[in-house]
Amino acid sequence: MVLRPLGLGDLLTGVPAIRAVRAAVPGNRLVLATTTALAPLAGLIDAVGEVLPARELEPLDWSGPPPELAVDLHGKGPASHVVVADLQPARLLTFDSPGYPGPTWYADEHEVRRWCRLVSEGLGVEADPDALDLAVPPVPPPVRGAAVVHPGAAYPGRRWPPERFAAVARHLADRGHDVRITGGPAEVELAGSVADAAGLGPDAVLAGRTTSMELAAVVAAAALVVCGDTGVAHLATAYRRPSVVLFGPVSPALWGPPARTAPDGRALHRVLWHGDGTGDPWGTDLDPALGKVTIDEVLAALDDLPPAFPR
């Protein structure tokens, strides 16, 4: 049993560790406890045999026998450790905290490497931080080869201004790209405003019109992705799509994409950041560091992206 009931980015950064757990217990079925909303995407992780709906820091609705191994990929302290400990597993793996011995938590460690190290040190197996790929969703994407512009983020502090995203979308359209504005149901108005300001028609707005699987399929088939520090950035990483990611309150050293190159030698994922790591990722106002990212910087980074290579 592996516990990871958080957001999309959290799920995707945990994929290498989940794969390492699978390697540590090859004869067992791996059950991933995650949110109902993420269950379809969790099924795209080849190591996962079953998905158990879960809620953050709440007891798991597990009626099976005690697992041979339970792993807390949620947090560093007893509040999440007890969720897996209550299953009475034969073995329990958590970060060290009162009553729970385990590897040491380091606050300045990249999220992917943190969970890989937990599994590597705790179970004695290799964990490859670059093993981030997902299976392509078994649904046709609403569009192929699109330039995906994703202006939303969970908190206002991580949302680059919509008028700047509109300028980027306009630039991409002028370069001949099929630009699509993505987002969740709560971001329809934001996406529409970006499309309108960019001079794009209503068909350019995919926000609120795709399931999570369809959104993943759009990204998997995209020509490029430009977005903030949010789950779509991690989808671009999972499908190795050329991307430009705008960071603000959180350092890319903690959550940024891996350093990968395309076949032509250019960086596959470009990160723009002018912060010092002291911002508030849950802030209600635009983070000053994110505000320092200019339109010209983003356009230059986009123009320097390699072409998307066939999957």
Side-chain angles (χ1 to χ4, degrees):
M1 180 73 70
V2 176
L3 179 69
R4 191 71 170 166
L6 293 161
L8 174 58
D10 303 278
L11 173 66
L12 299 182
T13 55
V15 168
I18 293 168
R19 288 197 165 108
V21 172
R22 165 78 283 165
V25 285
N28 294 69
R29 183 174 88 260
L30 190 149
V31 179
L32 176 63
T34 193
T35 66
T36 300
L38 291 177
L41 295 176
L44 301 177
I45 305 170
D46 54 9
V48 174
E50 180 181 340
V51 178
L52 177 70
R55 295 165 298 280
E56 187 173 356
L57 301 181
E58 294 188 19
L60 295 175
D61 186 18
W62 175 248
S63 59
E68 177 182 322
L69 170 68
V71 182
D72 180 5
L73 293 188
H74 181 286
K76 63 180 179 179
S80 59
H81 296 352
V82 71
V83 175
V84 285
D86 280 351
L87 301 176
Q88 299 183 326
R91 290 188 292 166
L92 177 66
L93 178 58
T94 70
F95 275 113
D96 182 65
S97 70
Y100 296 92
T104 301
W105 173 283
Y106 299 119
D108 61 351
E109 193 168 21
H110 191 284
E111 184 74 1
V112 174
R113 294 185 177 276
R114 167 181 292 134
W115 301 111
C116 282
R117 183 176 57 81
L118 173 70
V119 177
S120 181
E121 291 184 10
L123 301 180
V125 294
E126 292 294 325
D128 180 6
D130 199 45
L132 292 157
D133 300 67
L134 286 182
V136 175
V139 298
V143 59
R144 292 184 179 275
V148 173
V149 176
H150 188 85
Y155 295 92
R158 285 184 264 162
R159 293 178 201 150
W160 203 48
E163 64 272 15
R164 299 190 202 179
F165 270 115
V168 169
R170 188 182 311 113
H171 170 86
L172 290 169
D174 289 345
R175 293 298 179 95
H177 284 283
D178 180 5
V179 180
R180 301 301 174 108
I181 317 298
T182 57
E187 296 167 335
V188 173
E189 184 177 349
L190 171 63
S193 69
V194 170
D196 288 344
L200 303 175
D203 288 345
V205 178
L206 293 182
R209 296 166 51 194
T210 58
T211 64
S212 60
M213 290 286 271
E214 289 170 333
L215 175 60
V218 168
V219 174
L224 60 88
V225 176
V226 57
C227 62
D229 172 22
T230 188
V232 167
H234 297 283
L235 281 174
T237 293
Y239 292 117
R240 299 179 183 256
R241 297 294 86 188
S243 62
V244 174
V245 186
L246 318 181
F247 275 78
V250 178
S251 168
L254 301 179
W255 283 88
R260 290 172 172 166
T261 55
D264 66 1
R266 283 184 281 177
L268 187 60
H269 309 298
R270 299 289 302 274
V271 172
L272 299 176
W273 187 57
H274 299 301
D276 58 8
T278 61
D280 179 6
W282 303 282
T284 56
D285 297 307
L286 174 67
D287 182 78
L290 183 57
K292 292 178 182 177
V293 177
T294 68
I295 295 170
D296 286 343
E297 281 183 279
V298 176
L299 300 187
L302 285 168
D303 288 346
D304 195 43
L305 284 179
F309 46 90
R311 291 197 53 82

